[in-house]
Amino acid sequence: MARTVKEDEYIQKRNEILDATRQLIYSKGYEQMTIQDILAELQISKGAFYHYFGSKQAVLEALIERLQEERDQVISPLVQDPQLSAQKKLQGIFEALAQWKTAQKSFLLAIWRALYSDDNALFRQKWHTAAFKQVPPMLATVIRQGIQEGTFTATYPEQSGEVIFALMLTLAETQGSLLLSYVHKADEGLLSHVEQTIAAYTEAIERTLGAARGSFQLVDPQTLREWFTYSGHNV
Amino acid sequence: MARTVKEDEYIQKRNEILDATRQLIYSKGYEQMTIQDILAELQISKGAFYHYFGSKQAVLEALIERLQEERDQVISPLVQDPQLSAQKKLQGIFEALAQWKTAQKSFLLAIWRALYSDDNALFRQKWHTAAFKQVPPMLATVIRQGIQEGTFTATYPEQSGEVIFALMLTLAETQGSLLLSYVHKADEGLLSHVEQTIAAYTEAIERTLGAARGSFQLVDPQTLREWFTYSGHNV
């Protein structure tokens, strides 16, 4: 059944609040941001705000939910593709996530320092907790397929989804904080440190799965170099 | 140069506050405990307390710092022992950390719920950041030794220290949150879930290092059962 005009309006207004909140979290930090800031930004009344969200915490949770949905829409089609081998699915997931991040590169670079600041610790923790509920089961599906296909040998596919995701997440965090410490365009020492870190995590993921060496490329070297070249200008 | 009497007194008084806080966290819980409780316990004035700590959160952070120092004192002698093989050193580290945790089980159980609350997101992030600076270099030393001895085959010993620690930390976090959700003494389903999780992380660590299967026991099954039996009473 088609959505009514009223429903469409409701969703649109709710999304406007989420967009404004996202900007405010990045510019002020979650703890510092007040509902008053959101009202001022959108020029709406307190009553209008509470029509959509019960609390500041509720906006945060909705925002995280929307970001997670975006990410799942990137991963899900790959997991369900009946044509792809498990190895290709997992490689596809690594690439799709990197592309998703690269597509919002200038935005991410602009907000990264805020994301890694003390003020956003709770935001990041909630993001991790939610991600740990959603992503590992999808990875487990792929790992089970790989075991059936004989390319993976992990003994506990269910839990390995969690292990692999822990490695992906820690690598992303490490890259993020290294990116923040990267200020000079010609800092080749740090770039090679990042490359070795990625190589170590790639090896850990391949070995955990029992996949052949060289099965996966977690980060395309050209993309990495680009990220670390641009950051000097923008962060 | 020797410390002055004044310095010694300062350190002693500060430690007294930390000890009392630890006891209070155990008896009341971190959230319930007030600075007033600390003052009453030690029979000191508000001014005396603020001479040593700026806030309740600051005492908790200092307490955790002391815990990190204790942890390093547990790991360090093993890393430096000239008699032990790398495999024995790493197994020793896993056991020593488990024993250290078990020795302060009641304290940890009391503090755990506070640790996993939203209010302590920043604190936990700081704990992780500090631990990530301290532990991986020690692990890297052991991994390099294992490569020389021919029992490990990791390609990037330096970065593997970080990877292994990421796995240890995520496992500890997962166990912690599972422990919090464990309310019924007879919840065997959850216990077996925890056992499989530990087995998966053990496999990941062994494979990442390139160590033989069965090289390591991350958690002794008897200890685990004890933890999950006691938690129902104390948390």
Side-chain angles (χ1 to χ4, degrees), chain B residues 222-235:
Chain B
Q222 179 55 37
T223 307
L224 183 74
R225 201 161 273 268
E226 231 175 89
W227 268 92
F228 274 78
T229 307
Y230 271 62
S231 67
H233 298 294
N234 296 329
V235 176

Side-chain angles (χ1 to χ4, degrees), chain A residues 57 116-122 124-126 132 153-156 159-160 162-163 166-167 170 174 193 196-197 199-201 203-204 207-210 213, chain B residues 115-118 120-122 124-126 132 153-156 159-160 162-163 166-167 170 174 193 196-197 199-201 203-205 207-210 213:
Chain A
Q57 175 75 11
Y116 282 85
S117 76
D118 287 356
D119 296 333
N120 284 311
L122 179 60
R124 279 173 59 217
Q125 183 171 308
K126 284 200 177 290
F132 254 100
T153 68
T155 312
Y156 309 91
Q159 281 78 10
S160 292
E162 199 184 295
V163 173
L167 292 170
T170 315
T174 305
H193 176 69
Q196 289 212 345
T197 302
Y201 277 87
E203 183 172 270
R207 287 182 174 193
T208 296
L209 294 171
R213 190 179 177 154
Chain B
L115 276 186
Y116 282 86
S117 76
D118 285 355
N120 283 310
L122 175 59
R124 275 175 61 216
Q125 186 171 304
K126 284 189 181 299
F132 254 101
T153 68
T155 312
Y156 309 91
Q159 282 77 12
S160 291
E162 201 185 295
V163 173
L167 292 170
T170 317
T174 306
H193 176 69
Q196 289 213 344
T197 301
Y201 278 90
E203 183 172 272
I205 287 175
R207 288 182 173 194
T208 295
L209 294 171
R213 190 178 177 154

Side-chain angles (χ1 to χ4, degrees), chain A residues 106-118:
Chain A
S106 37
F107 179 65
L108 281 174
L109 284 171
I111 56 92
W112 223 314
R113 207 174 282 280
L115 266 189
Y116 282 85
S117 76
D118 287 356

Side-chain angles (χ1 to χ4, degrees), chain B residues 145-157:
Chain B
Q145 182 188 334
I147 293 168
Q148 279 178 345
E149 289 167 358
T151 48
F152 299 164
T153 68
T155 312
Y156 309 91

Side-chain angles (χ1 to χ4, degrees), chain B residues 38-101:
Chain B
I38 301 173
L39 308 185
E41 181 69 28
L42 292 168
Q43 309 245 334
I44 58 173
S45 70
K46 210 166 190 166
F49 173 85
Y50 283 108
H51 182 57
Y52 298 94
F53 297 101
S55 64
K56 180 182 157 187
Q57 179 74 13
V59 198
L60 184 62
E61 279 177 24
L63 197 53
I64 295 307
E65 203 175 291
R66 210 173 61 169
L67 283 168
Q68 301 233 14
E69 277 164 21
E70 279 176 39
R71 182 207 54 214
D72 290 352
Q73 279 162 20
V74 159
I75 297 178
S76 212
L78 283 158
V79 173
Q80 278 147 29
D81 191 327
Q83 309 293 330
L84 292 178
S85 70
Q87 195 273 335
K88 287 215 166 112
K89 282 184 182 181
L90 203 47
Q91 178 59 34
I93 291 171
F94 294 142
E95 279 171 22
L97 288 178
Q99 273 166 24
W100 177 62
K101 270 192 190 171

Side-chain angles (χ1 to χ4, degrees), chain A residues 21-55:
Chain A
T21 307
R22 180 154 114 163
Q23 283 304 325
L24 285 164
I25 286 176
Y26 296 146
S27 60
K28 299 194 80 166
Y30 173 72
E31 312 280 347
Q32 276 63 46
M33 180 195 74
T34 63
I35 290 179
Q36 196 52 52
D37 290 326
I38 301 173
L39 308 186
E41 181 68 30
L42 291 168
Q43 309 244 336
I44 57 173
S45 70
K46 211 165 190 167
F49 173 86
Y50 282 106
H51 182 59
Y52 298 93
F53 297 101
S55 64

Side-chain angles (χ1 to χ4, degrees), chain A:
Chain A
M1 210 160 64
R3 281 200 300 241
T4 66
V5 175
K6 272 215 154 164
E7 277 168 343
D8 280 344
E9 266 174 23
Y10 182 90
I11 290 165
Q12 197 197 322
K13 196 75 202 165
R14 194 174 179 276
N15 276 329
E16 274 172 29
I17 296 175
L18 289 175
D19 289 336
T21 307
R22 180 154 114 163
Q23 283 304 325
L24 285 164
I25 286 176
Y26 296 146
S27 60
K28 299 194 80 166
Y30 173 72
E31 312 280 347
Q32 276 63 46
M33 180 195 74
T34 63
I35 290 179
Q36 196 52 52
D37 290 326
I38 301 173
L39 308 186
E41 181 68 30
L42 291 168
Q43 309 244 336
I44 57 173
S45 70
K46 211 165 190 167
F49 173 86
Y50 282 106
H51 182 59
Y52 298 93
F53 297 101
S55 64
K56 180 182 156 186
Q57 175 75 11
V59 200
L60 176 67
E61 278 166 22
L63 193 55
I64 290 170
E65 208 173 287
R66 203 176 63 171
L67 281 168
Q68 308 250 1
E69 274 165 22
E70 278 175 38
R71 187 209 49 219
D72 290 354
Q73 278 163 19
V74 161
I75 297 179
S76 209
L78 283 158
V79 174
Q80 278 148 28
D81 191 327
Q83 309 294 330
L84 293 177
S85 70
Q87 195 273 333
K88 287 215 167 112
K89 283 184 181 180
L90 203 47
Q91 179 58 35
I93 290 171
F94 294 142
E95 280 170 22
L97 287 178
Q99 273 165 23
W100 179 57
K101 272 192 189 169
T102 302
Q104 352 185 14
K105 182 163 73 174
S106 37
F107 179 65
L108 281 174
L109 284 171
I111 56 92
W112 223 314
R113 207 174 282 280
L115 266 189
Y116 282 85
S117 76
D118 287 356
D119 296 333
N120 284 311
L122 179 60
F123 179 77
R124 279 173 59 217
Q125 183 171 308
K126 284 200 177 290
W127 164 268
H128 283 187
T129 306
F132 254 100
K133 277 191 193 127
Q134 288 159 4
V135 182
M138 293 197 273
L139 294 178
T141 303
V142 178
I143 295 168
R144 276 194 302 271
Q145 183 188 333
I147 292 167
Q148 280 177 345
E149 290 168 355
T151 47
F152 300 163
T153 68
T155 312
Y156 309 91
E158 218 59 57
Q159 281 78 10
S160 292
E162 199 184 295
V163 173
I164 300 302
F165 189 59
L167 292 170
M168 289 166 67
L169 212 55
T170 315
L171 176 59
E173 292 262 300
T174 305
Q175 273 183 280
S177 59
L178 285 173
L179 198 59
L180 287 184
S181 69
Y182 185 76
V183 280
H184 301 298
K185 262 184 82 174
D187 194 348
E188 288 292 326
L190 183 64
L191 184 60
S192 98
H193 176 69
V194 177
E195 281 165 350
Q196 289 212 345
T197 302
I198 293 168
Y201 277 87
T202 306
E203 183 172 270
I205 288 174
E206 285 171 352
R207 287 182 174 193
T208 296
L209 294 171
R213 190 179 177 154
S215 292
F216 301 113
Q217 184 175 63
L218 261 65
V219 186
D220 152 58
Q222 179 54 37
T223 306
L224 182 74
R225 200 161 273 266
E226 233 174 87
W227 269 91
F228 275 77
T229 307
Y230 272 62
S231 66
H233 298 292
N234 297 329
V235 176

